[in-house]
Amino acid sequence: MGKIILKPLKSRKQLRAVEFENVISAGFTDDTEKFFTITFDLQNETRQDLTISFETRTPKVYFSEPYKE
């Protein structure tokens, strides 16, 4: 088993260099760059979103329930 080291998310710029697999889309959802959403393909046309909110000083992460497109 490998060791994973997680670094705190400190700025929006860190997201631009990240590579993801099984991603349908990834990016800021508006011009204010307050919400960064990543949509994953889970299989069988099922998707799930991960959204990082920058509305407050500390970013918050939200997951959607899996859904069919």
Side-chain angles (χ1 to χ4, degrees):
M1 179 181 340
K3 181 178 180 180
I4 297 174
I5 299 172
L6 300 175
K7 295 181 181 179
L9 181 63
K10 294 182 180 179
S11 74
R12 297 174 184 110
K13 292 178 185 176
Q14 289 176 285
L15 293 170
R16 292 191 178 105
V18 177
E19 293 183 28
F20 303 99
E21 291 186 23
N22 298 328
V23 171
I24 295 171
S25 66
F28 287 100
T29 58
D30 59 5
D31 292 336
T32 62
E33 295 190 348
K34 288 188 179 181
F35 298 97
F36 188 90
T37 299
I38 306 162
T39 302
F40 294 94
D41 179 15
L42 302 180
Q43 292 181 352
N44 299 324
E45 297 181 25
T46 302
R47 298 178 179 180
Q48 186 170 24
D49 297 334
L50 176 147
T51 297
I52 303 168
S53 169
F54 293 97
E55 288 186 301
T56 60
R57 187 174 190 176
T58 304
K60 295 181 181 179
V61 178
Y62 300 94
F63 287 98
S64 72
E65 293 292 327
Y67 61 92
K68 296 274 186 181
E69 184 59 29

